[in-house]
Amino acid sequence: MRNVVLICGLGLALTACGHRGFDRDRPDEFAVARQAPLVIPPDFSLVPPQPGAARTQTTTGQDQTLEALFGPDAARSAAERGALNQAGAGSGTEVGVRSNVGDPQTNVVDKGQTTSAIVAAPEGDNPEAQTSAPQ
């Protein structure tokens, strides 16, 4: 039985070598358009940068990337400016406030265990989602 399977497999493999069904008459995709020869571009009067000279680019690569992705800064509407002014944007906000939050000199208010119990309670209206204030 093993010899029959081996002979059939070998015969199938050899018949695949003689099949030329894919050599039909079709256009050559490389012969459709003539490839233009490579040409050196004209001189654009580019000079190499001088050591120690000031940079000619004023924006950084990161700024160029952000502008390419999201476009230039859009003007804010009156409603957006009003909402930001009411929220106190730009008036008296400390520049490094995120760095100072973990400072040991920062005063924090201890809300007790009630707030932690409320935050830790699961969502929903079922009895497991209810909590009570500790005594």
Side-chain angles (χ1 to χ4, degrees):
M1 179 70 181
R2 188 174 177 185
N3 291 336
V4 172
V5 172
L6 184 62
I7 291 172
C8 289
L10 186 61
L12 184 63
L14 289 176
T15 57
C17 294
H19 184 60
R20 301 276 183 201
F22 296 113
D23 289 338
R24 62 181 184 266
D25 189 22
R26 64 179 181 266
D28 184 13
E29 61 270 9
F30 296 108
V32 172
R34 183 166 184 250
Q35 293 179 349
L38 295 177
V39 178
I40 297 175
D43 184 20
F44 293 113
S45 301
L46 296 176
V47 295
Q50 298 297 323
R55 290 185 63 132
T56 56
Q57 290 180 324
T58 57
T59 59
T60 63
Q62 182 178 6
D63 294 337
Q64 290 175 352
T65 303
L66 289 174
E67 186 171 338
L69 288 173
F70 304 111
D73 291 336
R76 292 189 167 144
S77 66
E80 187 177 4
R81 282 194 307 270
L84 288 172
N85 288 337
Q86 285 182 356
S91 59
T93 55
E94 194 175 335
V95 175
V97 69
R98 291 184 178 174
S99 301
N100 297 335
V101 170
D103 187 26
Q105 301 298 327
T106 303
N107 296 326
V108 294
V109 178
D110 185 17
K111 300 275 185 172
Q113 294 180 354
T114 305
T115 305
S116 351
I118 291 171
V119 171
E123 293 183 26
D125 291 335
N126 53 12
E128 293 86 25
Q130 296 177 0
T131 185
S132 61
Q135 299 298 334

